[in-house]
Amino acid sequence: MKRLRDDPHLRPLFVLAACAVGLALVDARDFLTVATAASSLETFATIGLVALGLGLTMMIREFDLSVVGMYSMAGCIAVVMGGTYAWLGLACALAAGLAAGLAQGWLIVRLRLGSVGVTLGGLLVFAGIAYVVTENRALPYENMEVALGLSAPVGGIFSVRSIVAIAIFAAAALVIGLTRYGRDIIAIGSDRRAAMTAGVNVDALVIGIFGFSGFCAALSGALLSYSLASASPAGLSDVIVPAAAAAILGGVSLAGGTGRPLGIAMGVLSLAVLRAGFNAVGAPPYVNEVAMGTILLLVAVLDSTYLARRLQGLVRRVH
Amino acid sequence: MSQSAEPPLTDRTLAAPAQGQMAARAGEPRNYVGIVRVAVLVILAAVALTTPGFLSQPSILSLLTTVSFIGCVAVGMTLITISGNIMSFALGALVGATAMVFVLAANWGGFAFGLVAGLAFAAVTNALQGFLIGWLRANPIIVSIAALALIYGVAEAFAAHGTIYAATGTSYAGFKGKVAGIPVEFVVFLCVAAVAQFLLSLTTFGRNLFLVGSSFRAAEAIGVHTWRAVTGAYLWAGLFTAPAGIMLAIRYDAASMNYGLGYEYDAIAAVLVGGTVIKGGEGSVLRTLAGAIVIGVIQVVLVLQGLRTEWQYLIAGLIVLGVIALQTPGTRD
């Protein structure tokens, strides 16, 4: 029982249950509906893949700030290039995301730079491109068939977008759970020098993970723009706040070396249920923003390096 | 502009251990970076001077006010960067929120009350973040992003319509003028910079800040109250950022969260261009002053060349990437 309680990967399950029960207590009739489940999964599709990419970079003790910029830029690329053929726009957006992610990883590894600095530059460059392309307005996407097709319900509560997100989560969970990449990632996050000594190809894996993070952000950005039938530059807090909160809720630590894709998925799902629940019970939009900010602040405190030491100090002072 | 290439003697002596080591290890790249820096400044100066209208009086005045707003935020950011916490994403939001608090408080209790309320709000909001970062060692990037979301969310709850206007009859005309031909904003900015440089160069707090930034463990080992230094850095950063919000509110007789959009990025770009090192423990306000002038010149030139403001993010990003790639190669920790 103690082992169960201390397992960080179970944390998101408790949070998810608490969110669901809490919202059901507030307004069961509006919350416990198929519509809420479907809207949760749509939010899952919107922030899930970003959280997965960001979470993986956190697992190797880096941080990919550029995901928000990539998210906006990929949406613009997809809408601009995909006017006639939606797949062409998607392919261009994904290629840009992968290439930009790999380039950032290469800079970090080759020039031995901090990932926050490099991805801060990446964030501004990508967001800047999105602003320049869209002229800070919403760019319309004329291909309504694609837009409707992506959002159309599949099997009651799913949509193409959420199925894509779930499939990528499943693939990531399989690769990390069953191949040596999973152990290598944990090893890099725990002690990079030891991992290198043990024969892990650290540089290649770091570059690869940044590439994957760029790819994930581009995929969800492009699909979101298609389904909304427009592209517009996203604010920083819209995506990265829930994504970072979901990753940490899901058992990833900023200190690196812990976490797994299923945990991140549960973290995303709890925040998605929370957001859908706020909508269902008719809360004003700022409630969601305040809640996400508060949750991120709380998990940052729970994840902080000196929390245990400070609490012990306080307890000692009381006695 | 020479400040950026040659840091003043005071902070070199104060941060002597870190800088001596760095110079010995990376003497060669430093010279190379210096050449790039001079080349970029020459090109920028050439572009600025050949831009029609750059030397006209309205353009110079607009340059001075642009530099003042960016500069106040950048001076605050400098303290955070030196303390080893990279940057705060919440300073732009803080500018907008301070402007709102100032207008609300000034409408209710007069100009002086608004001033005090605005400064106190900014100091407390930032100090709380600094306390979490310094005392609990929570991740500074995550804390500032969370604060960003919270500030925007709470502001939206309070001001549903987005903009708060100064009460009719209250005119801040006296604060919109010029002192000896120089905009009031620039005078305020110079005062802010002077106070910050004094704090960094001549006080125990400043010395501790450089120590904490260059090596947290070493600072802790020799008995520095690290959390006080970090909390102090954020508190002062709030106090230095607040004037930007208050001056924007005075300028427009109104306040909105949009006023602060993007300031955190211009500020970090100014800090990095000035030569303050992103990993902390090294830097000065004078360098940031030079950096703010560079960013201000770029923005004024962009506007004069007819490029829209949307280009500012892209330019800031390219600058940040370029500076970081050149900065202290191979000294990642």
Side-chain angles (χ1 to χ4, degrees):
Chain A
M1 192 59 211
K2 189 172 185 314
R3 213 179 62 85
L4 265 181
R5 203 183 58 208
D6 290 347
D7 187 349
H9 298 114
L10 289 173
R11 195 163 63 193
L13 274 181
F14 293 125
V15 177
L16 181 58
C19 291
V21 170
L23 283 161
L25 284 177
V26 171
D27 191 344
R29 215 185 41 201
D30 284 327
F31 173 65
L32 295 173
T33 57
V34 178
T36 313
S39 115
S40 300
L41 282 170
E42 284 306 287
T43 312
F44 181 88
T46 307
I47 58 173
L49 291 178
V50 180
L52 179 63
L54 183 66
L56 279 174
T57 62
M58 282 157 69
M59 280 162 70
I60 56 165
R61 216 177 169 166
E62 304 282 359
F63 197 84
D64 189 356
L65 274 171
S66 72
V67 286
V68 194
M70 178 57 67
Y71 192 83
S72 306
M73 187 175 85
C76 297
I77 293 178
V79 165
V80 171
M81 305 295 288
T84 13
Y85 302 108
W87 58 266
L88 180 68
L90 185 64
C92 288
L94 293 181
L98 188 64
L102 290 175
Q104 291 185 100
W106 185 84
L107 272 179
I108 290 164
V109 165
R110 238 339 104 91
L111 298 180
R112 301 171 62 68
L113 299 166
S115 56
V116 171
V118 172
T119 55
L120 170 68
L123 161 71
L124 291 174
V125 169
F126 305 149
I129 292 175
Y131 274 110
V132 169
V133 170
T134 60
E135 303 181 7
N136 204 6
R137 283 193 298 261
L139 212 63
Y141 182 60
E142 311 291 352
N143 201 335
M144 283 311 284
E145 265 171 54
V146 176
L148 293 174
L150 279 176
S151 315
V154 179
I157 54 173
F158 297 97
S159 71
V160 176
R161 279 175 64 223
S162 57
I163 289 173
V164 168
I166 291 168
I168 288 186
F169 261 104
L174 284 177
V175 168
I176 286 175
L178 300 179
T179 68
R180 66 169 289 181
Y181 289 119
R183 270 168 297 156
D184 287 356
I185 287 171
I186 297 299
I188 294 175
S190 312
D191 187 335
R192 184 162 299 195
R193 203 165 289 176
M196 214 178 274
T197 316
V200 176
N201 193 348
V202 174
D203 288 359
L205 214 51
V206 170
I207 296 177
I209 285 178
F210 273 91
F212 179 73
S213 174
F215 176 87
C216 283
L219 179 59
S220 47
L223 288 183
L224 181 72
S225 287
Y226 276 162
S227 72
L228 293 177
S230 79
S232 56
L236 173 74
S237 54
D238 299 340
V239 185
I240 207 166
V241 171
I248 305 174
L249 270 183
V252 179
S253 169
L254 285 156
T258 63
R260 54 188 182 200
L262 278 184
I264 300 174
M266 299 310 287
V268 176
L269 203 56
S270 26
L271 294 186
V273 167
L274 200 60
R275 184 181 276 187
F278 284 142
N279 286 341
V281 301
Y286 62 80
V287 171
N288 178 56
E289 197 160 2
V290 171
M292 293 297 153
T294 312
I295 290 172
L296 186 59
L297 203 60
L298 280 179
V299 293
V301 166
L302 289 177
D303 193 52
S304 57
T305 337
Y306 275 22
L307 182 65
R309 182 187 300 196
R310 296 299 187 198
L311 286 180
Q312 275 167 9
L314 286 181
V315 168
R316 221 176 296 136
R317 203 170 293 175
V318 170
H319 282 301
Chain B
M1 209 77 32
S2 64
Q3 308 289 8
S4 62
E6 197 60 47
L9 198 63
T10 42
D11 82 272
R12 176 161 283 192
T13 43
L14 275 172
Q19 289 205 331
Q21 210 179 24
M22 196 88 68
R25 218 185 324 153
E28 279 294 305
R30 279 262 147 148
N31 294 336
Y32 163 63
V33 171
I35 293 168
V36 173
R37 189 171 284 168
V38 170
V40 169
L41 286 182
V42 168
I43 294 171
L44 181 64
V47 172
L49 292 178
T50 51
T51 300
F54 182 77
L55 287 176
S56 68
Q57 203 203 4
S59 152
I60 297 288
L61 287 180
S62 110
L63 173 67
L64 288 183
T65 46
T66 310
V67 168
S68 313
F69 295 137
I70 297 173
C72 285
V73 186
V75 166
M77 194 73 87
T78 309
L79 297 196
I80 293 175
T81 310
I82 288 176
S83 76
N85 291 308
I86 304 175
M87 75 172 286
S88 164
F89 282 90
L91 288 191
L94 191 68
V95 168
T98 305
M100 287 185 144
V101 169
F102 166 75
V103 170
L104 281 177
N107 282 351
W108 186 77
F111 183 80
F113 180 70
L115 215 57
V116 172
L119 288 171
F121 166 78
V124 170
T125 312
N126 241 30
L128 283 176
Q129 295 169 52
F131 182 72
L132 292 181
I133 293 162
W135 197 65
L136 291 175
R137 301 214 66 201
N139 183 293
I141 300 294
I142 299 289
V143 168
S144 69
I145 293 176
L148 168 81
L150 276 174
I151 292 173
Y152 271 108
V154 172
E156 205 181 314
F158 272 93
H161 305 297
T163 308
I164 301 175
Y165 296 95
T168 43
T170 48
S171 171
Y172 313 125
F175 301 89
K176 286 178 183 167
K178 298 188 186 73
V179 179
I182 300 167
V184 176
E185 285 97 338
F186 197 68
V187 176
V188 171
F189 165 52
L190 288 182
C191 294
V192 162
V195 172
Q197 187 63 54
F198 169 80
L199 277 174
L200 282 181
S201 309
L202 298 170
T203 64
T204 319
F205 162 70
R207 200 193 55 201
N208 287 347
L209 201 59
F210 280 108
L211 273 171
V212 171
S214 54
S215 172
F216 186 87
R217 279 200 185 162
E220 208 166 44
I222 61 169
V224 172
H225 288 287
T226 50
W227 72 270
R228 285 191 201 163
V230 173
T231 310
Y234 276 82
L235 189 147
W236 282 106
L239 277 177
F240 295 147
T241 304
I246 294 172
M247 293 188 303
L248 280 164
I250 291 174
R251 194 184 165 103
Y252 298 118
D253 288 321
S256 137
M257 287 306 286
N258 290 338
Y259 290 2
L261 276 184
Y263 270 109
E264 65 273 34
Y265 300 128
D266 291 334
I268 189 68
V271 168
L272 293 177
V273 165
T276 294
V277 179
I278 194 163
K279 69 191 180 64
E282 206 189 330
S284 79
V285 171
L286 288 172
R287 295 190 202 179
T288 298
L289 192 91
I293 292 173
V294 170
I295 301 293
V297 168
I298 291 175
Q299 293 200 350
V300 169
V301 168
L302 278 181
V303 171
L304 287 175
Q305 296 276 8
L307 287 170
R308 299 180 313 269
T309 46
E310 283 84 52
W311 284 83
Q312 285 172 10
Y313 280 97
L314 188 54
I315 303 277
L318 291 173
I319 290 171
V320 168
L321 265 186
V323 172
I324 285 175
L326 286 175
Q327 215 173 51
T328 56
T331 50
R332 176 192 176 167
D333 49 356

